[in-house]
Amino acid sequence: MSNHYHLLIETTQENLSKYMKHLNASYAIWFTRKYSRSGHLRQGRFKSWYVTDESYLYTLIGYIENNPVKAGMVKKPGEYLYSAINHS
């Protein structure tokens, strides 16, 4: 996606906020250096949801994989460069 990303992360500790802060800060530093930018790269806090059952997990996986198709970036989910689907 050009303006956001989706991650499906399993964690056993209550450290998601710390991890996301590190991930977003590291990426922002890399991006601003690479493209000689200044200012904020992303706006707002990340959003997270608990996955409490297998049915919702599969719904979430389908949503993430089909998001680039719905956005008109590709015709099939496996065509998206950053898809978890096999690209062969």
Side-chain angles (χ1 to χ4, degrees):
M1 307 307 301
S2 62
N3 62 353
H4 68 282
Y5 59 90
H6 298 270
L7 298 174
L8 181 57
I9 299 173
E10 180 179 15
T11 181
T12 57
Q13 300 175 356
E14 294 183 18
N15 61 350
L16 184 59
S17 291
K18 185 177 180 179
Y19 172 77
M20 294 303 297
K21 180 180 178 181
H22 175 73
L23 176 67
N24 287 330
S26 298
Y27 178 76
I29 290 167
W30 171 83
F31 189 90
T32 54
R33 285 182 182 159
K34 179 174 178 151
Y35 296 105
S36 300
R37 284 183 37 118
S38 63
H40 294 284
L41 181 60
R42 300 206 187 279
Q43 182 178 354
R45 188 177 189 278
F46 75 94
K47 298 175 187 171
S48 64
W49 289 267
Y50 287 106
V51 177
T52 56
D53 61 64
E54 200 169 298
S55 174
Y56 182 58
L57 173 63
Y58 291 121
T59 299
L60 186 58
I61 291 169
Y63 173 81
I64 291 170
E65 291 298 334
N66 284 295
N67 204 256
V69 177
K70 291 180 184 177
M73 299 172 74
V74 294
K75 293 186 188 269
K76 295 187 282 186
E79 295 173 348
Y80 185 59
L81 178 62
Y82 302 105
S83 172
I85 297 174
N86 188 349
H87 293 280
S88 51

